[in-house]
Amino acid sequence: MPFAPDQLLRVPLLPVLAMQGLSVRRNAQLLPEPIGPREGREGRGPRLRLLITGDSSAAGVGAGTQAQALSGHLVSRLASYYTVEWRLEATTGHTTQDTIDRLRGLSGQFDMAVTALGVNDVTRGVTYKRFVDRQTQLLKLLTGPLGVKRLAVTAVPQMNRFPALPQPLAWILGHQARRLDQGLRHVTASFAQARYLAMDLPDDPALVAPDGYHPSPKTYAIWAEEAARILRQA
């Protein structure tokens, strides 16, 4: 397979990309993960065991509390129909492999789950093949030992649209994120229990956290609405 233009230009652009990467890390506002419970029970109706897992976006960075984050919005929507027993297993900086390692030590079973991964795989230089292999392992773990019957797999974010990233770094990371997202679509389609969750959002400053890198509470609400719709189709 021939290299894409962004892959060919990485080597000559390496000094610029390295400087920009260091600058982004130095200037980034290191937003904390939101306060609040990471597991609980809420609602009325049939029992639903829910798992939310992934990176800093799954953890809710960009929101002040878990109630304003993905977990809070999602549980609130599902609690109108189910007694939701939920658990959040997510950490800032986690890649797909980190999440696999974390979930392998998890006991218990779940009915539904939401994943949010990809950004750290992009920034760590994970290849398309390795990402596809690891996402396949993750979905096998979720739908096998962990018992998940309906899974919402969130798209890899469009990193070229992150306000915190300067050019050409945004262009390079954006192309790689798009490649990994294509792989994610392919993996998701191979599991009957899984559905790909697209995040096609408008260019609205209100949808981005102050660090220019993470979602805002408004984005978490939109995301949760779509995730709840996909999960409830079961």
Side-chain angles (χ1 to χ4, degrees):
M1 179 182 294
F3 286 105
D6 65 290
Q7 293 173 313
L8 292 172
L9 288 171
R10 282 184 189 179
V11 173
L13 287 174
L14 189 58
V16 174
L17 298 175
M19 289 180 61
Q20 289 185 335
L22 288 172
S23 177
V24 168
R25 291 189 186 93
R26 189 181 305 116
N27 297 327
Q29 298 182 34
L30 299 178
L31 298 180
E33 295 181 2
I35 60 172
R38 291 187 170 227
E39 60 182 326
R41 187 172 184 270
E42 186 176 333
R44 298 177 62 184
R47 182 190 188 198
L48 168 61
R49 296 166 298 179
L50 173 68
L51 174 66
I52 303 165
T53 190
D55 56 22
S56 58
S57 61
V61 173
T65 68
Q66 286 295 340
Q68 300 171 316
L70 175 64
S71 64
H73 285 293
L74 181 56
V75 170
S76 176
R77 281 158 177 76
L78 293 175
S80 299
Y81 308 94
Y82 309 97
T83 298
V84 184
E85 298 175 5
W86 64 278
R87 183 164 180 169
L88 174 63
E89 293 286 342
T91 298
T92 297
H94 268 196
T95 63
T96 301
Q97 185 61 58
D98 294 326
T99 301
I100 292 170
D101 296 340
R102 179 177 189 146
L103 296 184
R104 278 178 176 157
L106 204 59
S107 61
Q109 295 264 296
F110 300 90
D111 303 302
M112 300 184 182
V114 179
T115 65
L117 290 158
V119 167
N120 298 307
D121 292 274
V122 171
T123 58
R124 306 278 182 84
V126 174
T127 64
Y128 174 92
K129 182 181 184 304
R130 188 167 295 173
F131 181 73
V132 166
D133 289 345
R134 289 175 178 175
Q135 282 288 328
T136 301
Q137 291 177 42
L138 175 62
L139 268 60
K140 284 182 178 178
L141 174 60
L142 287 166
T143 59
L146 293 178
V148 173
K149 301 174 182 66
R150 178 51 62 110
L151 173 62
V153 180
T154 307
V156 180
Q158 301 173 36
M159 296 185 69
N160 57 295
R161 297 175 63 186
F162 285 11
L165 297 178
Q167 297 294 353
L169 182 62
W171 181 74
I172 293 288
L173 295 182
H175 275 279
Q176 181 64 2
R178 191 175 302 117
R179 267 190 294 275
L180 297 194
D181 189 59
Q182 290 171 350
L184 187 64
R185 287 175 183 261
H186 176 74
V187 172
T188 303
S190 66
F191 286 82
Q193 305 95 324
R195 296 292 182 272
Y196 174 84
L197 196 170
M199 291 293 288
D200 297 320
L201 301 172
D203 288 321
D204 181 354
L207 297 176
V208 185
D211 66 354
Y213 202 84
H214 288 95
S216 70
K218 184 175 180 180
T219 298
Y220 284 125
I222 296 170
W223 182 0
E225 184 71 35
E226 183 62 16
R229 183 189 67 79
I230 289 175
L231 295 175
R232 289 198 63 237
Q233 286 176 350

